[in-house]
């Protein structure tokens, strides 16, 4: 009996040691300038590049964005594309309105960063393109912290 339990525990230990290791980290991106108040935070798994428990807050400060798209969260402005590989981090958020009240309106926010050697943060740019009351195209600086 003792030999069976020892063999069983050894087998479980062997199985557990053969599973791939993965690390979980956190990601925080903030943009605050004359055009945009934006924050995004999420947990991520480096082994599968999935984002978990994501939270998004978006407020366009520039005129011309459709009124129903000036303030949005993760449900109304979802993360549609992500690239997190090596020292590069790219995120894209997209929202579209089209119904009886609105012919067409959209917001696309693209963030592209690389690791800064001095700070270790992801530093780069963002581009906001909105089709609403007017065509809006603005760019600015973006910073994300991953750990």
């Amino acid at each position: 009996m003792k030999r069976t339990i020892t063999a069983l525990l050894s087998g479980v230990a062997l199985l557990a040691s053969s599973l791939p290791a993965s690390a979980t980290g956190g990601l925080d991106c903030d943009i605050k300038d004359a055009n945009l108040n934006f924050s995004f935070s999420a947990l991520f798994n480096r082994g599968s590049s999935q984002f978990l428990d994501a939270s998004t807050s978006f407020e366009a400060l520039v005129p011309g964005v459709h009124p129903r798209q000036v303030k949005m969260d993760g449900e109304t402005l979802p993360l549609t594309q992500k690239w997190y590989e090596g020292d590069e981090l790219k995120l894209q958020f997209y929202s579209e309105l089209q119904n009886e009240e609105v012919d067409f309106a959209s917001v696309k926010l693209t963030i592209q960063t690389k690791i800064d050697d001095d700070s270790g943060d992801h530093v780069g740019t963002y581009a906001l393109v909105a089709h609403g009351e007017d065509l809006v195209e603005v760019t600015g600086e973006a910073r994300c912290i991953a750990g």
Side-chain angles (χ1 to χ4, degrees):
M1 175 81 166
K2 191 174 186 180
R3 189 177 266 182
T4 304
I5 291 173
T6 303
L8 183 62
L9 289 175
S10 296
V12 168
L14 183 61
L15 267 174
S17 67
S18 67
L19 296 174
S22 62
T24 301
L27 175 66
D28 290 298
C29 298
D30 286 304
I31 299 168
K32 293 194 185 327
D33 63 17
N35 301 314
L36 182 63
N37 279 338
F38 174 82
S39 67
F40 174 76
S41 62
L43 297 175
F44 64 89
N45 183 322
R46 288 201 186 264
S48 68
S49 72
Q50 291 182 348
F51 287 169
L52 309 166
D53 295 329
S55 173
T56 304
S57 174
F58 172 94
E59 180 181 12
L61 304 174
V62 63
V65 176
H66 190 279
R68 289 181 45 197
Q69 292 182 308
V70 169
K71 286 188 177 186
M72 293 187 279
D73 59 19
E75 282 189 32
T76 51
L77 184 67
L79 176 65
T80 55
Q81 303 233 357
K82 64 184 178 302
W83 173 269
Y84 190 21
E85 180 103 10
D87 67 346
E88 290 186 58
L89 171 66
K90 298 177 185 180
L91 305 172
Q92 187 172 80
F93 300 83
Y94 183 77
S95 175
E96 191 174 286
L97 286 176
Q98 192 170 16
N99 57 37
E100 314 76 50
E101 300 169 15
V102 181
D103 287 337
F104 179 79
S106 68
V107 169
K108 180 170 74 171
L109 175 64
T110 305
I111 298 170
Q112 296 188 42
T113 65
K114 286 191 174 188
I115 293 178
D116 178 68
D117 290 335
D118 295 330
S119 69
D121 295 348
H122 288 264
V123 178
T125 60
Y126 77 86
L128 173 64
V129 178
H131 297 270
E133 295 175 336
D134 296 313
L135 173 61
V136 176
E137 295 180 290
V138 295
T139 59
E141 294 179 5
R143 180 176 295 265
C144 299
I145 299 171

